[in-house]
Amino acid sequence: DLNNHIKPQGRVTSPDVNGSIQTSEKDPEFNSDRSYWLNRTTTKVIDAWNYSVGFNVNIAILDDGFIDSYPDFRDDLTGTSRIISTQFLKVYNGSRLYEDQALANITSTDGSRRLANPSFSSEYHGLFVAQIIAANIDDQRGIAGIAPRARILPMATGETMVGVNVQIKNAVEEKRKFKAGQGGIDIDVINISQGKPFDHYDAFLKNKDSILEQQNLDLMSFTIQKAYQENIAVVAAAGNEGTDKDLNSFPANYSTAINVGAYQLDEAIKRRAIFDLTKGFHSSNYAPATDFWAPGKRIPVFGYEPIVGNFTQGQIFYKTGTSYAAPIVTAMIALIKSWNKNISFEDLYRVLVESSTPLADSSFVSTQPALTHEGRIPPREINALAAVTHPLINAQKAISMNGKL
């Protein structure tokens, strides 16, 4: 139904010379230089919007640092929020409470809720990831999200892998309840921009919480397999340790998760992203288990003045890391699933492979043997336009508010 893929009001003007749609590009950071992660020389998201904007897709974001009321996730056509629920910003698993660390620090000042730390740092990690996935486009505010009609479900992890596992289980349970007609949420994709290297668990085994996480590592493979069985695509960041060893950064390295590395654009040459060594992380991991690559260097996000409800002030921040590459792939999967919601993991992976393009630079090449993803592919970058027009998806050009292509 083409009416389910209506483009946002005001975006469409007229077809350009090659048949794609010109946009007014009103969001502050929407231009070819600073929003390279959207443009026609990288992910081709702008062209893919002619076919899909993520309508009717539900994305669970497992993270921390959300704001529970945020205007850029409000549908500008209906006025309704695209945040499905905030019920999973606090989750108790029987022995421990996992909650959003930013919201947990909210205090009251003169009747206003204020985040304890006014800096826009890792405290807003989940918010920034969510913006990349689903912020409104062409609303003269913030950045342009890749799937601006998708709905999101923020799920707090307490910044622990145990919390990640708990929330994957909850997402699977929501899907099962939905399929059984018992309410629930029809989760299509899970984004996990968190992870730990395998040796993290060996180094801290004397710590009680780390022992719990070691046990959780064994359980997480089973949990992600359950998500696979429920046809929920799990996308995870490859990690920022700069290693090509396949046993780094779980949950990304599980075989039924889609592992995303980060690249940077240097004078039109795409190279594995190198990060800020002074901040404790080196560069994108690049093990054989890395499935796909997306931009992950200087991705613009929008920080609002931290009084909840006051969104008139704010500034652009540039974020770096595989945490910000993974949501680009997650959102691209939402564009795909908007047209083929029940596509299997195998067919989805095939679409991603066949629509992506090889990365030639030697910085992506690992010399390590594949341990967790036998038979996986050489380094490839995603291409949103090729994905949505793949024969298995066969998306059609969408209808604008004024009926023009």
Side-chain angles (χ1 to χ4, degrees):
D1 182 359
L2 289 177
N3 290 316
N4 288 340
H5 299 270
I6 290 175
K7 300 185 74 61
Q9 189 170 16
R11 281 202 66 252
V12 177
T13 55
S14 60
D16 64 21
V17 293
N18 63 6
S20 60
I21 296 175
Q22 297 173 343
T23 68
S24 54
E25 303 180 358
K26 293 179 181 177
D27 289 304
E29 285 300 289
F30 196 125
N31 62 62
S32 60
D33 293 329
R34 289 176 293 186
S35 288
Y36 77 98
W37 52 287
L38 293 171
N39 69 26
R40 294 178 174 94
T41 64
T42 57
T43 58
K44 295 182 171 57
V45 167
I46 294 173
D47 292 328
W49 282 338
N50 295 330
Y51 297 85
S52 179
V53 286
F55 181 85
N56 200 35
V57 176
N58 300 315
I59 302 169
I61 304 174
L62 279 57
D63 217 303
D64 288 281
F66 296 102
I67 290 179
D68 54 358
S69 177
Y70 188 77
D72 234 6
F73 302 138
R74 188 173 300 281
D75 192 308
D76 56 10
L77 299 180
T78 66
T80 59
S81 175
R82 290 182 290 108
I83 300 175
I84 301 168
S85 171
T86 58
Q87 64 177 307
F88 293 107
L89 290 178
K90 287 187 177 183
V91 175
Y92 185 70
N93 75 336
S95 60
R96 183 173 175 178
L97 178 69
Y98 297 97
E99 60 182 327
D100 187 302
Q101 295 302 296
L103 291 177
N105 291 330
I106 286 179
T107 57
S108 178
T109 303
D110 298 328
S112 298
R113 295 195 303 161
R114 182 185 295 271
L115 294 174
N117 180 1
S119 67
F120 298 103
S121 59
S122 60
E123 185 171 333
Y124 291 85
H125 190 273
L127 172 64
F128 295 153
V129 167
Q131 286 178 3
I132 292 167
I133 292 172
N136 284 337
I137 55 178
D138 207 41
D139 61 357
Q140 304 184 44
R141 174 178 53 218
I143 69 165
I146 291 172
R149 285 293 173 269
R151 292 175 293 190
I152 57 174
L153 179 68
M155 304 183 83
T157 64
E159 299 181 359
T160 70
M161 290 298 97
V162 182
V164 168
N165 202 29
V166 168
Q167 296 290 33
I168 296 171
K169 289 179 180 178
N170 286 330
V172 170
E173 182 59 27
E174 288 297 312
K175 181 82 169 190
R176 287 175 171 170
K177 288 193 293 186
F178 177 84
K179 289 167 71 174
Q182 300 171 353
I185 301 167
D186 186 16
I187 302 296
D188 299 294
V189 195
I190 294 173
N191 186 89
I192 307 173
S193 287
Q194 296 180 338
K196 294 286 178 66
F198 186 80
D199 57 9
H200 163 85
Y201 299 96
D202 293 330
F204 300 99
L205 282 179
K206 292 182 181 180
N207 179 285
K208 181 179 178 181
D209 284 345
S210 292
I211 293 173
L212 182 62
E213 291 208 352
Q214 172 69 62
Q215 296 168 342
N216 179 70
L217 183 65
D218 299 330
L219 292 172
M220 192 176 291
S221 176
F222 176 79
T223 308
I224 290 179
Q225 183 68 18
K226 292 297 182 184
Y228 162 80
Q229 292 171 357
E230 295 299 328
N231 204 27
I232 302 173
V234 176
V235 179
N240 304 322
E241 291 76 37
T243 180
D244 65 347
K245 295 180 180 179
D246 232 358
L247 289 180
N248 266 65
S249 196
F250 290 87
N253 283 8
Y254 290 118
S255 60
T256 50
I258 294 173
N259 183 331
V260 181
Y263 72 72
Q264 64 189 51
L265 195 62
D266 294 332
E267 296 180 353
I269 298 174
K270 293 157 188 170
R271 296 187 173 96
R272 181 167 58 89
I274 306 298
F275 307 139
D276 188 346
L277 301 182
T278 65
K279 295 184 178 180
F281 62 126
H282 184 276
S283 58
S284 175
N285 289 349
Y286 60 113
T290 310
D291 294 302
F292 302 101
W293 294 80
K297 185 76 174 280
R298 289 186 58 79
I299 304 299
V301 295
F302 195 62
Y304 282 105
E305 200 280 337
I307 298 176
V308 175
N310 181 2
F311 299 106
T312 59
Q313 303 296 320
Q315 66 184 94
I316 294 294
F317 293 83
Y318 292 93
K319 307 300 290 185
T320 289
T322 58
S323 284
Y324 305 102
I328 293 175
V329 175
T330 293
M332 196 180 85
I333 291 173
L335 301 184
I336 292 169
K337 287 205 165 194
S338 184
W339 282 94
N340 190 343
K341 194 172 176 70
N342 297 317
I343 188 172
S344 69
F345 179 86
E346 289 77 13
D347 281 345
L348 173 64
Y349 196 83
R350 175 186 165 190
V351 168
L352 293 173
V353 170
E354 293 180 358
S355 63
S356 57
T357 53
L359 288 161
D361 193 82
S362 61
S363 63
F364 297 103
V365 179
S366 169
T367 60
Q368 299 290 330
L371 299 178
T372 61
H373 287 50
E374 289 291 345
R376 286 285 175 102
I377 58 175
R380 301 180 74 86
E381 66 166 318
I382 60 166
N383 181 322
L385 177 63
V388 297
T389 56
H390 187 280
L392 287 177
I393 308 305
N394 195 30
Q396 303 298 306
K397 278 200 171 182
I399 299 173
S400 72
M401 291 303 294
N402 60 10
K404 297 179 180 178
L405 286 178

